[in-house]
Amino acid sequence: MSSLPDRQPGKPTPAAPNSASGPAAADGTPDPAVLARAVRRLADRYRHLSESRLRARIDPDGDDGVTRAALGLALSRRLAELGDKPAAVEVPDLGMFAVGDQIAVTGLDLVRGLQAAWGEPGAEGALAEALAAVREVAALV
């Protein structure tokens, strides 16, 4: 059973992607389903990280001290902002072991919102921004 809602009448349905890794449908239209797959993969990766990996800094030689858990929380907050503009409520810090679930919830909420708003101004831009952010974090984790 899909966690995505049924399409609303009168709203265009994004076409199926032409590949599992591509961000667009065969006609070049961005596809929210690509974001959903990327979010699910990243959330699962976070759920399987050990405590030491979650606490580990992204750049051990860098001065910023950003951990994998902090990076995931920042991503979930960004996904929530993209989905709830302008009334975004900050995603709370529920601890490092909740980050995977927070990414899944905020990311899939965003996907549902994009599907409901598909064709409206800003939807494709929000999709592109979210997909880039998820892919960036996935490359670092």
Side-chain angles (χ1 to χ4, degrees), residues 59-135:
D59 181 5
D61 300 324
D63 293 331
D64 62 7
V66 175
T67 65
R68 284 181 178 86
L71 185 65
L73 178 60
L75 174 64
S76 68
R77 288 177 174 166
R78 184 65 191 130
L79 295 173
E81 288 172 7
L82 286 169
D84 289 339
K85 286 183 181 175
V89 174
E90 186 169 307
V91 174
D93 185 346
L94 300 176
M96 72 178 92
F97 296 114
V99 171
D101 292 332
Q102 289 176 302
I103 290 170
V105 168
T106 58
L108 296 177
D109 281 351
L110 174 59
V111 168
R112 283 188 290 275
L114 288 171
Q115 288 178 322
W118 203 247
E120 294 177 14
E124 287 185 28
L127 171 61
E129 186 175 339
L131 191 55
V134 169
R135 287 178 172 166

Side-chain angles (χ1 to χ4, degrees), residues 16-31:
N18 58 355
S19 73
S21 62
D27 66 356
T29 305
D31 186 355

